[in-house]
Amino acid sequence: MASNCVRVERDGELALIVAHNPPVNTITAEVRAGLADALREVRADRSLRAVVLMCEGSTFFSGADIGEFSGPPREVEYRVLFNSLEGLEIPVIAAMHGTVMGGGLEIALASHYRIAAPATRFALPEVTLGIIPGAGGTQRLPRLIGAEKALELILSAKPVAAQQALDMGFVDALIAEDVRTGALAFARDLLGAGRGVRRTGEMSVDMATASDAMFQRMTELARKSYPNRGAGLVAVDAVRKSAHSRLAEGLEYETARVNECKTTAESRGAVHVFFAERDSRRVPGLPEDLRAAPVREAGVIGAGTMGGGIAICFANAGIPVKLVDASDASLERGVAGIEKVYQSMVDRGRLSPADKAQRIGLIQTSLDYQSLKNADVVVEAVFEDLDLKQRIFRKLDAVAKPGAVLATNTSTLDIALIADATSRPGDVIGMHFFSPANVMPLLEVVRTDRTSAATIKTVMELAKPLRKTPVLARVCYGFIGNRMMEGYAREAERMVLEGATPRQVDTALEAWGMAMGILAVFDMAGIDVGVNVHKANATRYPPDPTYYQADFALSDAGRLGQKNGRGYYRYEPGSRSRFDDPEAIQVLRRRATELQVPQRSHSVTEIQERCLFPLLNEAFHVLGEGVATRAADIDVVWTSGYGFPRYRGGPVFYAETIGLGTLLDGMRRYAEIFGPMHWTPAPLLVELVDRGISVAEWEGGQRSKRASA
Ligand SMILES: NC(=O)c1ccc[n+]([C@@H]2O[C@H](COP(=O)([O-])OP(=O)(O)OC[C@H]3O[C@@H](n4cnc5c(N)ncnc54)[C@H](O)[C@@H]3O)[C@@H](O)[C@H]2O)c1
């Protein structure tokens, strides 16, 4: 394949192989073909004395092409290419900048020398995708820095800075000037010092770093860091192999093991989420030529918990924002909160004091709605009260410029009713941020039947500078995420009334993979917050006298969660560690007796199934009713907003992993025990099982129906 993205330049007796594959120099098939051609050219020229490998644009090779993941294995192709680079008879210097990850770092390891700009960052993130570095990483890195440090880097999967890489020993020097000048100077110095090729593959692993005890420690680390997963353990095996084998044999082993990894549910789940997140921004059915309106100025109404966080998101994106509240006191409180967030970033070295000042400077406060007249987008985040929100949207309608997006951050209210308060319902949309809004990546974008395509497009695109993963939903109670939370939380609360302890429930959920048990989440959010939502929505709850009664019992007993040190658990002042609390258990037991809840014992499996099956079942309601556009969007919502493990692929992916028939049987099994009120399978789940088709096949059918309609 001819390549337009790799060229060879000459500088006297030095060659530069320069890649240019925007935006991030991914090692695509075309880049590999170009590199192979370039190596042939360099090898044929006997007058050359050294080669510099570098990239133009924002970064050195950022990694392999993950888009090829689902196709045939490419490891052998990578291996041949990287071996051929390493096999050159003249020194090869990788000159790096930007973010060098995975395959990008592996090509550098196959080079003879490595130099980097000081701001360069390096990572081998493969284990988070359920695989191991498969282009020589597990074999070459230990040869350069020892088995222990190599495994630390591979298992942490986190980026390290250039100085750390230098200290660890896989970077030889930092470049002060621009990469090209620095690399050429380094090459000349190298030749001047009479140094030649230095092949990583010909080195052996320092056995002092590769003791059995060290591998045992790393095995434990892999188990602890990646529970329910195998890739970390495979990485330990592969690095162990590097210590005892020649490169060629180690590479064969690595290839076999990485390909084995790719077939696991853990890898397929993580890769599914990766693509689902990439695609969530694209909304099927919007006109091709529709362009997002530029957002040059924003407004936020309500300077509370959410409004402050949302204002920070705009300021971080460089978008000036007007923050409006009803009183000076509220504004002052809001600004103090914003200041605190930025100061903690400065304290942790994440932000310079100058950048903090610049960002805070972008946020201007006001009591006057007129200050919103130039905003391209206004996000309302006042108390959760329909009357209040309608009043605010009426005022906003009077001042906002034509075409401005009028968004609400409501979690539970009917956005169509909020839109009705304006003369421009097409411009009204939900932007449902999650708390803390400046941290959580998920943004549910909620459209009503009247929201215009242009409004949807603008908000989906705005998510990018705001650094959010947007998922489009239709209006319904709880949208996608909170709606699916209902059954999950209901069962957790019901089980503590049936005699399970909060710790038993949370431990079972965390062992399955949830980031935090749901009862601990409630303690963190505030039991009273939950109770207020339950009260406001009591009329739409099913006729079950035990519904959310664990929350009510705790709140009646003055247990509000972490905020007063007592909830489902007990907390020491200033600490988030949870302790079992016999008093909480007594409160729950008393309420269970009053409600005559039959007591039972709960196996770990029962706890997991009773929480997860309703959650997965609800996903099929959400999909079947068209609240979510795509099954993959549901998976994004729960993995990015609710701590659902990425390696399980999200609720719908996981339902298919265990089998839709298993889920349906499970729902029916629990219906026999507890009755049909909460355990009726979603019609779509029944349909898919009856027809014996997958979710993807059903979605394909829906698309063809729409196309022919
Ligand atoms: N807290 C969360 O976890 C969370 C998550 C997602 C969505 N939400 C939603 O975000 C919205 C705000 O929630 P919050 O937790 O930030 O509430 P909050 O109580 O912390 O803040 C609300 C703010 O709105 C201000 N306000 C009240 N009336 C006003 C008016 N007439 N004009 C201007 N400002 C006014 C208040 O002074 C206060 O500063 C709610 O709709 C809530 O459902 C909250």
Side-chain angles (χ1 to χ4, degrees), residues 304-306 325-326 330 369 381-384 389 409 411 432-433 435:
T305 313
M306 296 306 289
D325 206 301
S330 302
Y369 280 65
V382 303
F383 305 137
E384 190 75 337
K389 290 196 195 256
N409 184 45
S411 307
H432 187 217
F433 291 81
S435 181

Side-chain angles (χ1 to χ4, degrees), residues 592-646:
T593 310
E594 282 160 28
L595 293 164
Q596 297 181 331
V597 177
Q599 301 296 289
R600 53 190 279 131
S601 62
H602 303 82
S603 67
V604 170
T605 307
E606 176 174 331
I607 295 170
Q608 293 170 342
E609 288 182 348
R610 280 181 61 188
C611 286
L612 286 165
F613 285 177
L615 166 71
L616 307 183
N617 185 58
E618 199 63 33
F620 289 89
H621 280 296
V622 164
L623 188 60
E625 290 169 20
V627 169
T629 320
R630 289 168 290 223
D633 287 349
I634 297 173
D635 291 339
V636 171
V637 166
W638 264 74
T639 48
S640 61
Y642 293 82
F644 195 100
R646 295 170 74 91

Side-chain angles (χ1 to χ4, degrees), residues 69 85 115 286 305 387 396 440-441 632 634:
F69 220 85
L85 177 78
I115 59 177
L286 290 187
T305 313
D387 273 352
L396 196 51
M440 293 292 286
I634 297 173

Side-chain angles (χ1 to χ4, degrees), residues 187 245 248 272 354 402 412 421 425 497 586 589-590 632 668:
S245 319
H272 164 75
T412 55
L497 292 180
Q586 247 181 24
R589 293 276 143 85
R590 258 202 308 276
R668 288 178 172 157

Side-chain angles (χ1 to χ4, degrees), residues 190-493:
L190 198 74
L191 295 175
R195 299 175 68 190
V197 298
R198 190 187 65 172
R199 298 191 181 103
T200 312
E202 289 171 0
M203 300 174 187
S204 32
V205 176
D206 175 359
M207 293 310 284
T209 69
S211 65
D212 283 348
M214 189 287 294
F215 283 115
Q216 189 51 41
R217 247 192 355 268
M218 289 298 158
T219 302
E220 278 153 27
L221 179 65
R223 285 216 178 93
K224 192 159 162 269
S225 312
Y226 302 96
N228 303 325
R229 278 159 287 174
L233 296 170
V234 177
V236 176
D237 282 351
V239 170
R240 192 197 306 265
K241 181 78 180 169
S242 77
H244 301 287
S245 319
R246 295 169 67 84
L247 182 76
E249 190 188 332
L251 291 175
E252 288 278 354
Y253 183 80
E254 181 190 77
T255 300
R257 299 301 306 268
V258 75
N259 284 323
E260 202 178 287
C261 286
K262 284 185 197 165
T263 64
T264 60
E266 123 190 23
S267 166
R268 288 184 301 111
V271 170
H272 164 75
V273 173
F274 178 91
F275 286 116
E277 282 181 351
R278 192 195 59 178
D279 295 343
S280 75
R281 191 182 316 277
R282 293 186 206 132
V283 178
L286 290 187
E288 287 285 315
D289 54 354
L290 189 63
R291 293 279 162 270
V295 175
R296 299 197 182 90
E297 190 177 317
V300 173
I301 308 178
T305 313
M306 296 306 289
I310 296 166
I312 290 175
C313 293
F314 281 109
N316 288 350
I319 300 170
V321 52
K322 298 281 186 326
L323 182 58
V324 173
D325 206 301
S327 70
D328 280 323
S330 302
L331 283 176
E332 275 161 29
R333 220 179 12 252
V335 169
I338 291 169
E339 159 77 31
K340 200 167 147 202
V341 168
Y342 278 127
Q343 189 52 44
S344 104
M345 287 169 76
V346 171
D347 293 344
R348 283 176 294 142
R350 298 268 186 87
L351 193 73
S352 71
D355 284 343
K356 172 189 156 191
Q358 190 262 340
R359 290 187 198 182
I360 288 186
L362 287 173
I363 304 173
Q364 284 178 8
T365 57
S366 175
L367 296 172
D368 184 0
Y369 280 65
Q370 281 298 329
S371 65
L372 300 169
K373 68 177 192 303
N374 292 323
D376 301 294
V377 171
V378 180
V379 185
E380 166 278 313
V382 303
F383 305 137
E384 190 75 337
D385 174 328
L386 182 62
D387 273 352
L388 174 65
K389 290 196 195 256
Q390 285 182 323
R391 258 185 284 134
I392 285 178
F393 271 73
R394 237 170 260 132
K395 274 166 102 177
L396 196 51
D397 191 18
V399 296
K401 69 183 190 186
V405 171
L406 310 183
T408 170
N409 184 45
T410 181
S411 307
T412 55
L413 300 174
D414 183 344
I415 299 170
L417 297 178
I418 298 174
D420 283 346
T422 72
S423 63
R424 34 176 143 173
D427 299 342
V428 177
I429 196 163
M431 284 178 77
H432 187 217
F433 291 81
F434 288 72
S435 181
N438 51 304
V439 175
M440 293 292 286
L442 179 61
L443 177 67
E444 273 183 315
V445 177
V446 190
R447 59 169 302 185
T448 72
D449 288 341
R450 288 190 289 170
T451 305
S452 74
T455 304
I456 295 171
K457 179 80 178 175
T458 298
V459 175
M460 295 303 279
E461 290 298 320
L462 172 62
K464 199 184 260 176
L466 297 183
R467 303 179 82 106
K468 298 293 165 203
T469 307
V471 171
L472 187 64
R474 279 188 180 275
V475 170
C476 71
Y477 179 76
F479 315 135
I480 298 175
N482 285 343
R483 175 167 167 180
M484 288 167 62
M485 171 67 94
E486 197 155 310
Y488 173 70
R490 174 196 73 224
E491 287 304 307
E493 293 205 20

